[in-house]
Amino acid sequence: MLGQLFPLVLDAGCLLICVTLWSEQSYGLFGQANRRPNIVLILTDDLDIAMGGLNPLTKTKKLIGDTGITFTNAFVASPLCCPSRASILTGKYPHNHHVINNTLEGNCSSLAWQKSQEPQTFPALLKSFGGYQTFFAGKYLNQYGHSDAGGLEHVPPGWSYWVAMEKNSKYYNYTLSVNGKAQKHGADYSRDYLTDVLANRSLDFLQYKSSYQPFFMMVSTPAPHSPWTAAPQYQDRFNDTKAPRDPNFNVHGKDKHWLIRQAKTPMSNSSVQFLDDAFRKRWRTLLSVDDLVEKIVKKLEVRGELENTYIFFTSDNGYHTGQFSLPLDKRQLYEFDIRVPLLVRGPNIKPNQTSQMPVANVDLGPTILDIAGYNVNKTQMDGMSFLPIMQGKVNSSSWRTDILVEYEGEGRNVSDPACPLLGPGVSECFPDCVCEDSYNNTYACVRTVAPSANLQYCEFDDNEVFVEVYNVTADPYQLNNIAKTIEQEVLEKMNHRLMMLQSCSGQTCRTPGVYDRRCILTIKHLDFG
């Protein structure tokens, strides 16, 4: 196993000579390589923050959150796996990286993506220009390994060591690409449970990597994505836990887009039981993620590398279980789907910090490059580095105030035989004919977080050009769409800002949002009833 993953270790003499030569040549460009920080990014799959997704992760909160900074307003550029992961890797909004859904036709790990975007991802820049040794383990993009896109032999540029799962999240009976060679796994817990396999691979990397170069490690877990298969020792945990009965649970979205309004309210008892069971299963899978985090942190500590390592913990999107009577999914514009956990520890980050400043997953790449000493302005990335926030060098008055969220809906060309009355154009339908997506569930939002405003403005690309607006301070569960009560002038300014962000690229996306104070005051005095 180690020979496959770390072939250079087999010839230690050659490795030492090569690394020594590389190190001597690179000092002049990058300073002392072994003094630059190491970086770890742990990416979960479908982990929410709004419904208490961090609650089972007690060790993660202690080892990363309590020793560093927690961002309470971290958002994704798109609440779906592949577009969101593409935004993380490229630092770009979906309208610039062109990944629109989880299909090959939607540019997910397509040949076009591989040619146009993969060479400019932040890991590629770290390896090529920063001299970092890089390691990937886990879920990459939903269509990775597809026979029409290079198969498992394709190893994206920028990765020194590559252990990627074929296609979408599983816990057993999956295939890995180990540096371009297929490795099949079965259903034996001790050998095959994917979260544990990723943990062990990560520990192997930390043990056998070069000590002469800084490293970047990205570990992308399947949890808590379906099929929600817990490790055997955790299968009986949280038996009395239910999905949170927040004010937006099992209520009708009366003033929302038609897709939300079509949800049956109240939900059937069988639907509620199903989503409660799914909620428990999700939490159980997270206990193995908590173990993975602990193992990585302890390994870094034993090796004397922890104090010089940044560790990021986040998710590709949020999730919902019963909000607005929608059973299970993550494709909607609301807080539960677009807001994610983000915890970071590392050098010069004081412990027990909390930041309310808005950050997005397009900012992860720029931040990691900034940590490595790379000039983000030399890239085409839309995001901006939040390293100054973590180091206490910037305050809310000088940070940008808004973030773009984009989603392109999907629908079937034919009617679902089980739900003929719905007609064509919908998808992700449940047995009681509640559908979670449609081709005109296509929207773009400006999510504003400023010292005096906490707002969301969204437009749908449908026949109505339907608009939803929320004052999240006054209405944290987004029960009341205030689009029809807000002043026309405010709507026009929000529309203008949205159009600007939808056409932005690179540095034009990084400018602080200029939000008219008069608009904020107008919104504050509206009747939200």
Side-chain angles (χ1 to χ4, degrees):
M1 181 186 293
L2 292 180
Q4 255 192 314
L5 184 54
F6 302 103
L8 293 177
V9 177
L10 297 177
D11 190 342
C14 176
L15 175 65
L16 181 60
I17 294 169
C18 293
V19 170
T20 303
L21 287 174
W22 183 93
S23 300
E24 290 175 352
Q25 291 169 352
S26 63
Y27 281 161
L29 289 173
F30 303 106
Q32 285 192 315
N34 63 350
R35 295 302 302 162
R36 283 181 296 135
N38 307 306
I39 306 159
V40 176
L41 171 59
I42 300 170
L43 178 65
T44 54
D45 197 351
D46 287 1
L47 178 60
D48 68 278
I49 186 69
M51 299 185 303
L54 282 178
N55 289 359
L57 296 161
T58 54
K59 291 182 281 193
T60 300
K61 289 186 290 185
K62 179 181 178 181
L63 294 171
I64 304 178
D66 292 353
T67 59
I69 187 168
T70 298
F71 289 89
T72 58
N73 286 308
F75 300 95
V76 294
S78 187
L80 187 63
C81 299
C82 205
S84 177
R85 288 163 183 265
S87 286
I88 290 171
L89 290 164
T90 63
K92 296 178 181 179
Y93 286 119
H95 69 264
N96 287 327
H97 63 57
H98 309 298
V99 177
I100 61 172
N101 57 42
N102 289 342
T103 68
L104 205 61
E105 297 75 21
N107 212 26
C108 180
S109 201
S110 66
L111 292 174
W113 153 268
Q114 293 172 22
K115 181 179 179 180
S116 65
Q117 301 297 327
E118 276 189 343
Q120 299 302 317
T121 60
F122 79 84
L125 296 175
L126 279 179
K127 185 172 184 288
S128 299
F129 298 100
Y132 273 69
Q133 52 192 323
T134 56
F135 168 85
F136 181 88
K139 174 180 172 179
Y140 180 57
L141 300 173
N142 296 55
Q143 295 299 326
Y144 172 74
H146 196 291
S147 58
D148 293 337
L152 294 173
E153 294 79 17
H154 172 66
V155 177
W159 298 105
S160 313
Y161 307 107
W162 178 254
V163 186
M165 184 177 63
E166 181 181 30
K167 298 189 177 176
N168 205 4
S169 285
K170 292 181 180 179
Y171 298 80
Y172 293 112
N173 299 308
Y174 54 86
T175 302
L176 296 176
S177 169
V178 181
N179 293 328
K181 294 182 179 180
Q183 183 182 95
K184 295 196 174 199
H185 282 258
D188 182 281
Y189 170 70
S190 62
R191 292 181 298 180
D192 301 313
Y193 189 70
L194 183 57
T195 307
D196 291 355
V197 169
L198 300 181
N200 292 333
R201 290 283 192 173
S202 301
L203 299 182
D204 286 346
F205 170 72
L206 293 174
Q207 181 67 33
Y208 293 101
K209 66 177 175 57
S210 166
S211 298
Y212 293 88
Q213 298 168 253
F215 69 84
F216 168 69
M217 183 167 74
M218 182 171 177
V219 185
S220 180
T221 71
H225 195 285
S226 61
W228 314 307
T229 309
Q233 66 270 31
Y234 296 135
Q235 286 177 353
D236 293 326
R237 297 288 297 273
F238 307 120
N239 283 337
D240 297 326
T241 301
K242 293 182 178 181
R245 270 42 173 183
D246 291 329
N248 56 9
F249 179 84
N250 201 11
V251 299
H252 187 239
K254 59 185 185 301
D255 53 10
K256 292 169 172 48
H257 190 237
W258 77 269
L259 184 67
I260 311 301
R261 297 197 305 269
Q262 57 88 34
K264 293 177 174 61
T265 306
M267 292 182 286
S268 65
N269 289 338
S270 60
S271 290
V272 173
Q273 290 172 5
F274 175 74
L275 68 86
D276 277 338
D277 187 51
F279 189 88
R280 286 188 286 271
K281 289 178 177 178
R282 282 167 52 83
W283 273 26
R284 290 167 186 154
T285 68
L286 288 170
L287 296 176
S288 294
V289 175
D290 213 27
D291 293 340
L292 176 147
V293 171
E294 181 183 43
K295 289 173 184 176
I296 290 175
V297 172
K298 284 189 173 180
K299 185 70 169 180
L300 290 167
E301 189 173 28
V302 167
R303 290 182 56 84
E305 296 175 316
L306 183 59
E307 297 309 309
N308 194 39
T309 301
Y310 287 88
I311 305 177
F312 294 73
F313 182 91
T314 189
S315 175
D316 56 358
N317 46 253
Y319 205 71
H320 59 260
T321 51
Q323 283 67 36
F324 301 124
S325 299
L326 298 170
L328 299 167
D329 201 44
K330 65 284 189 96
R331 292 166 167 84
Q332 310 307 330
L333 58 86
Y334 308 103
E335 291 287 281
F336 42 74
D337 286 355
I338 67 170
R339 196 157 60 89
V340 292
L342 178 58
L343 316 175
V344 192
R345 67 170 290 168
N348 300 315
I349 299 178
K350 294 179 181 177
N352 293 305
Q353 288 190 78
T354 299
S355 174
Q356 296 181 347
M357 284 182 262
V359 296
N361 60 352
V362 295
D363 300 329
L364 287 169
T367 302
I368 290 170
L369 289 175
D370 192 12
I371 289 170
Y374 190 87
N375 185 353
V376 179
N377 291 323
K378 292 182 178 178
T379 74
Q380 296 178 335
M381 293 183 175
D382 302 332
M384 55 195 295
S385 170
F386 54 82
L387 180 60
I389 295 178
M390 297 193 293
Q391 295 179 336
K393 296 179 180 177
V394 66
N395 57 41
S396 58
S397 63
S398 56
W399 186 249
R400 57 115 185 270
T401 58
D402 49 27
I403 285 164
L404 176 67
V405 179
E406 301 174 293
Y407 179 71
E408 186 158 332
E410 297 177 82
R412 296 164 57 96
N413 293 327
V414 295
S415 297
D416 186 331
C419 305
L421 295 178
L422 292 174
V426 293
S427 62
E428 305 297 324
C429 298
F430 282 78
D432 53 1
C433 296
V434 174
C435 300
E436 292 273 6
D437 205 8
S438 67
Y439 73 91
N440 64 359
N441 184 39
T442 297
Y443 57 82
C445 304
V446 181
R447 184 65 179 88
T448 301
V449 181
S452 54
N454 189 6
L455 307 167
Q456 185 174 19
Y457 172 87
C458 302
E459 291 181 8
F460 284 84
D461 184 10
D462 60 8
N463 293 334
E464 295 180 88
V465 192
F466 196 82
V467 176
E468 295 190 29
V469 184
Y470 299 96
N471 182 326
V472 184
T473 298
D475 181 20
Y477 295 101
Q478 297 172 297
L479 298 170
N480 300 305
N481 177 9
I482 60 173
K484 292 184 178 179
T485 58
I486 218 169
E487 287 188 3
Q488 187 65 29
E489 181 185 1
V490 178
L491 287 177
E492 289 173 0
K493 289 182 178 181
M494 288 179 165
N495 168 264
H496 177 76
R497 181 64 178 162
L498 178 60
M499 287 192 295
M500 192 284 289
L501 285 174
Q502 282 186 280
S503 60
C504 76
S505 179
Q507 294 191 36
T508 60
C509 301
R510 302 177 203 162
T511 55
V514 180
Y515 199 79
D516 191 311
R517 181 170 175 78
R518 190 160 50 96
C519 294
I520 299 172
L521 293 174
T522 301
I523 292 169
K524 276 187 171 181
H525 287 92
L526 284 173
D527 178 11
F528 293 101

